[in-house]
Amino acid sequence: MIGEIPGVPVGQPYASRVLASEAKVHRPRIAGICGTKSAGAESIVLSGGYKDDEDLGDVIIYTGHGGQDGSGNQVSDQSLDDSGNAALVTSHLQGLPVRVIRGSKSESVYAPQSGYRYDGLYRVASYGSKLGIDGHLIWQFRMEAALGTPTPVIEADQLPVDSPRSDANAPVGNDTPDRASSNVQRIVRSSQVKNAVKRWHSDQCQVCGITIETPGGTYSEGAHIQALGRPHNGPDRTDNVLCLCPNCHVKLDTGAIVIEDSLTVIENGVAAGSLRTHPQHTLSLECIRSHRERWRR
DNA sequence: GGGCCCGCAGGG
DNA sequence: CCCTGCGGGCCC
């Protein structure tokens, strides 16, 4: 389950990994990353297992997994083929939220005094590779606190001796949790619809035919033909979604291209080829017409 | 404190 | 199935 776990507030402590696992907050009992390449990452744990990590509170530089010898030393290169790392790449490409759990063994001032603590949702802002402290290639993911995720409280005995407790360290609840979590669930649902379409087309743009290759795999965007929400109110279904490259996505959203009932693509008033199709991917003519109506001139 | 080994759930 | 992993307890 991606996003918040219902009934689990930000700041929720767990005495052990087993308890966090039973609460479904972070299911693996040992591994630091939970997730799959196809669905994205559910959650990560910062527990001091990788020395290249940096914890700045609302920003975390999180090291991917793999390449260690079992006692915390990096002895070989990490790879994006590793499932956890691939999962974080997917979360980045699709803008999906990741639950963050801090453990007491992390060196960070934001670490809990003991056990583990759920610290809310973060997004994978960017990622890249570099040579780690031990001289092997590592992949790192920049995690940024999502809107509504507070910077964690610095627990009392972590404060520098002279610094008074400030209001900034007062316990923080979750602002408008219901609305935030329903937004998250809507993003997740919508991304499942888009993923189905992208899989059918193997990330090849249905308009221009290109496939973008990245170190983390191929990339495409799921583009709604009839826009979601007011005033267009398009359905979030696969028959209202196209697999497009970012350029063609912009063109579709701005009316630079429209689509005829015959699936001919019209650009600058002239036919510019035919939409690529897939047998399992039926399209809604109603949505295509609605998009055309929107950009009639 | 470090080393070891027993774990099991997740993922491919 | 097999393999791995930001545990954890116990022993030294």
Side-chain angles (χ1 to χ4, degrees):
Chain A
M1 166 144 189
I2 286 177
E4 285 189 327
I5 301 300
V8 176
V10 172
Q12 177 71 46
Y14 297 96
S16 71
R17 284 287 296 266
V18 173
L19 292 174
S21 176
E22 284 168 359
K24 310 293 180 198
V25 169
H26 186 76
R27 297 185 294 121
R29 303 168 69 134
I30 300 179
I33 306 170
C34 178
T36 62
K37 179 177 175 130
S38 63
E42 286 186 32
S43 51
I44 60 172
V45 176
L46 281 100
S47 195
Y50 288 78
K51 50 183 105 167
D52 294 281
D53 283 1
E54 294 174 58
D55 185 1
L56 312 174
D58 52 0
V59 173
I60 297 162
I61 311 303
Y62 189 79
T63 308
H65 67 192
Q68 286 194 337
D69 64 356
S71 49
N73 298 308
Q74 217 50 53
V75 295
S76 62
D77 290 348
Q78 294 186 344
S79 160
L80 285 184
D81 293 335
D82 230 303
S83 70
N85 302 344
L88 285 167
V89 170
T90 298
S91 297
H92 169 245
L93 293 176
Q94 298 185 14
L96 298 172
V98 180
R99 292 188 297 275
V100 166
I101 294 92
R102 286 183 172 84
S104 60
K105 281 182 281 184
S106 161
E107 304 286 316
S108 161
V109 294
Y110 299 102
Q113 283 180 244
S114 67
Y116 299 85
R117 186 185 65 215
Y118 170 59
D119 277 347
L121 299 178
Y122 285 63
R123 61 189 198 90
V124 186
S126 63
Y127 75 98
S129 66
K130 71 170 194 185
L131 281 186
I133 291 169
D134 289 337
H136 291 94
L137 192 78
I138 57 169
W139 288 90
Q140 289 191 303
F141 300 85
R142 180 185 171 93
M143 313 293 299
E144 295 180 356
L147 230 57
T149 293
T151 304
V153 174
I154 299 179
E155 297 187 0
D157 71 343
Q158 309 265 14
L159 285 174
V161 240
D162 280 343
S163 84
R165 232 177 196 294
S166 73
D167 284 352
N169 285 322
V172 203
N174 193 349
D175 304 343
T176 64
D178 289 338
R179 185 152 173 204
S181 70
S182 76
N183 271 337
V184 164
Q185 290 316 316
R186 189 160 65 234
I187 290 167
V188 171
R189 270 196 304 276
S190 185
S191 83
Q192 288 168 344
V193 169
K194 292 173 178 176
N195 284 348
V197 174
K198 294 192 220 176
R199 262 197 304 277
W200 284 329
H201 294 277
S202 308
D203 292 321
Q204 184 184 27
C205 179
Q206 288 183 258
V207 169
C208 72
I210 72 161
T211 305
I212 296 177
E213 308 276 352
T214 82
T218 54
Y219 176 82
S220 65
E221 296 178 359
H224 286 98
I225 302 167
Q226 184 180 358
L228 299 182
R230 290 171 177 277
H232 308 293
N233 296 322
D236 195 12
R237 297 190 312 246
T238 58
D239 64 358
N240 185 34
V241 171
L242 295 176
C243 173
L244 299 180
C245 71
N247 265 357
C248 291
H249 189 175
V250 170
K251 289 182 184 179
L252 183 77
D253 284 357
T254 56
I257 56 178
V258 293
I259 301 162
E260 293 188 325
D261 282 2
S262 62
L263 302 189
T264 297
V265 178
I266 306 293
E267 183 165 16
N268 292 325
V270 300
S274 190
L275 213 56
R276 284 155 207 273
T277 56
H278 182 279
Q280 281 176 274
H281 186 200
T282 57
L283 289 172
S284 160
L285 280 183
E286 195 187 333
C287 295
I288 287 173
R289 286 172 188 155
S290 161
H291 175 263
R292 217 163 55 220
E293 284 303 305
R294 176 183 170 193
W295 297 109
R296 173 184 232 149
R297 36 183 170 173

